[in-house]
Structures are given as C-alpha cells and as structure tokens.
Amino acid sequence: MNGADSEVGRLETVMLHRPGAELKRLTPRNSDKLLFDGIPWVGRAQEEHDAFAQALRDHGVEVLYLTELLQDTLEYDAARQEVISAMLEERQLGDLLAQLTRGHLEDLDPEDLTQTLIAGLAREELKSGRGLVYGLMDRHDFVIDPLPNLLFTRDSSVWIGDRVAVTSLAMPARTRESMLTRLIYTHHPRFAGVEHLYEPWLEHVEGGDVLLMAPGVIAVGTGERTTPAGVERLCRRVFAAGLAHTVLAVPIAQQRATMHLDTICTMVDVDTVVMYPPVAYSLQAYAVTSLGNGELRVFEPRPFLEAAAQAMGIERVKVIDTGLDPVTAEREQWDDGNNTLALAPRVTVAYERNVETNARLEASGVKVIRIAGSELGSGRGGPRCMSCPISRERLATFA
Ligand SMILES: NC(=[NH2+])NCCC[C@H](N)C(=O)O
C-alpha cells in the first residue's frame, strides 16, 4: 500500500532520481543560482548514486526512478500537453519564442521530452529560432532551465498517510520540480486514485521540512524554505483529511546550512533522533491541533523535544549523544551527517564521510549503512534528501 505514517517503518518503496545530463549544465557562473556548492564530477556522482540505490535494493527496498515514471507518464497525450503548457506559462519566453519552443517540445518522443524537461534546453539546442527574445539571448542561455536538484526527491513530494503532498518549492531554481512530480502522481497508472494533500500553487512547503515523528504526529520546519503560511495551510489540510492529531511547527534558522528541518534532525528509531548538537535542546516548537471546522488551536512554544514527546505519548524523545566538539559537529552537519534515511527502526543509511557521527550512531546500537557522497554531497543533500519514501510499513493507526 502506498504511503507512510512514520520515518522509520520498514521502507518498502522509494522514489529516487539518478542524476544525469542536468548536472552537466552546472558551471561556476550558475551553480549558486542552481543551489550547488561545487561542480560535481557527473560520472562519479552517478556511480555513488547507483551504489546508494543498490544498498537500498539489498535491503529489500523497491527503487522507482523518477525519470522512468515521468517517461511512462509522458506517453499520455493529456500529460504531455499539460506539462508543456504549464512550463511555457511559467517560463515567460514571449509569444514567438514560446511558440517555437512548443513546436520543438511537441516533436519530441516521451524519452527525449523527459530528458529535456529535466536537463533543460539551451538556446543553441532549439531546432529553429528567430525573433527578438531569441536574438537577445546568448546561445548558452536556457530556454528551459535544467533541474539539477531533482536529485533531492525528498523535497518535491511527500507522502503523509495514504496521500501525497505535492509540494510548493520556494527557490526559483526548483519550482518546476513539483510540476513534474504532480504530473506523475496525476497521470501514472501506479498512482491512480491517490488523493493529493497539497498542491504546488499553495504557500511554500518542502518535503525536507516534513518529519513524520509518529503516527498522528508531524513536525514541520519553517525557515528558508517552508513558510509560516505554508505550515498553517498544511495543518489545515492534514487535519481535514484526518491524517494527524498534532502538527509541530518548528522554526529553524533561515540559512543555507539549515535549509530544511532534516538537515539538523532525522529519526533513527520510533523514539530516537540524531540531531545537530548545538540546536538539540534549544529548538522550539508550536504544537498545533484541530478545534474542528477548520479552526486551529496553537499552543505556546516549548522545547521541540518536549513538545514532540508529549504529542507522541512517550516520556521522552531520545537523542543520539554525538558528543562532538563544535567544529566537528559543524563540519559533519554541513556534510549532512544528521541527514539519515531509516530503512527500518535502528537501520539507517548515512554518508560514510561523517565518521564521528556514524561512530556515535553505531555505539548507540544503530546499524549504519554507509554510502559514498563526495560528489552527490556538493548539492548539499544527504540520503534522506535524495529519497522520497512512497511506501513504508505502517507503525499503527492513531485514530
Ligand atoms: N531535504 C533536503 N535537505 N534537501 C536538500 C536540498 C539541497 C538543494 N541543493 C537545495 O538547495 O534545495
């Protein structure tokens, strides 16, 4: 069954995106805007990603690739027309260039259209071009921008219970990603009948900020990406759908190092988190519950770990004591040491480079499946960011 009610129920199916030609578009001139901190060696990034996918399969996880789902989806004419129109509307190319681009895209078969939607289209790759907009563009300028961050499938959709929240991404370089995930969830037969909990045109919410702490309890970070209004909208929708009794709104620093809640905290067991030490005990949360009729009850802020324990109905949330010195902690947090992907309670995937954090996880009895991420990490995302769980074994129902 599709969906998830926790971060740690046995992972059954996951959606990944194997990085490809879109990474080859990165240059020192555009990488900041495209949210990469370096220029990855693409072949090696693919090898690292293949090893990640294989590690998941070795643990019984079904791996779906976004590219394959998208290509299947683009076999349907309605889906092709929908995505081409939506993309051209967003891109603002002017009437003539939009018309030429439409012609170019309509001629592509599903495989090439998939590639173009992901890797983008430079002006010089357009079959025929003319007019003012075309003339004013440099030949390397993008008629369609590439999507190098599609690699981080966590952010462009998130399953809550049996529904999928297609997210509303905050950074201009990423907004088109959820146009593609929405298309897949709307038209791909594998997802027929799945209800959408959220839509890309609503207030900003990114999947990296959403943590399913326990059945019925969701923590949502709000900072650089998910906005306060996004959390409020998600609360209303989650409560209306009966998917949770409590949402914890967690303000996080509005900066790149902590762009999502999952950069500082992920779950490794039903009651245990691994957390960036400097914030572990200072992070605050506003618990939100439903008063019915769409009204929300918002509680005074309290320490996050306390508020979470109360909502989860447990005495306390355990924190893996990484006990790291501040410099090591900061280095490993930057390299996504706290961004782990649980395959089951106490079994987690982590970047091998975060030697100290991983050693502490193991000392606490967590099995760590190490993967290489020297190239993948240049996009500032770890195993959790690079995975969208489509199905996890349910822990319980809370109703
Ligand atoms: N869930 C996450 N932490 N995702 C990380 C996304 C990294 C990506 N380069 C961005 O800046 O958006």
Side-chain angles (χ1 to χ4, degrees), residues 35 149 155 174 208 225 256 259-260 262-263 379-380 385:
L35 310 172
N149 294 286
D155 300 323
R174 302 197 64 183
R225 305 301 174 87
R256 180 148 180 80
M259 66 185 115
H260 294 110
D262 71 4
T263 61
R380 286 274 78 64
C385 311

Side-chain angles (χ1 to χ4, degrees), residues 81-155:
Q81 292 307 326
E82 186 182 314
V83 75
I84 293 174
S85 298
M87 209 223 20
L88 290 175
E89 195 173 312
E90 192 216 53
R91 196 61 190 90
Q92 298 202 356
L93 294 170
D95 295 345
L96 181 58
L97 188 56
Q99 190 194 326
L100 295 170
T101 307
R102 178 182 289 278
H104 178 106
L105 298 175
E106 281 176 350
D107 282 348
L108 300 176
D109 63 22
E111 189 177 345
D112 290 338
L113 182 57
T114 301
Q115 279 310 312
T116 305
L117 290 172
I118 294 175
L121 185 72
R123 196 201 81 153
E124 64 179 357
E125 293 160 350
L126 204 57
K127 267 183 253 147
S128 64
R130 59 197 150 84
L132 182 62
V133 181
Y134 182 85
L136 289 171
M137 285 171 83
D138 180 83
R139 68 192 181 98
H140 297 297
D141 281 349
F142 295 117
V143 174
I144 300 172
D145 287 321
L147 298 176
N149 294 286
L150 208 57
L151 169 63
F152 306 112
T153 52
R154 176 67 58 167
D155 300 323

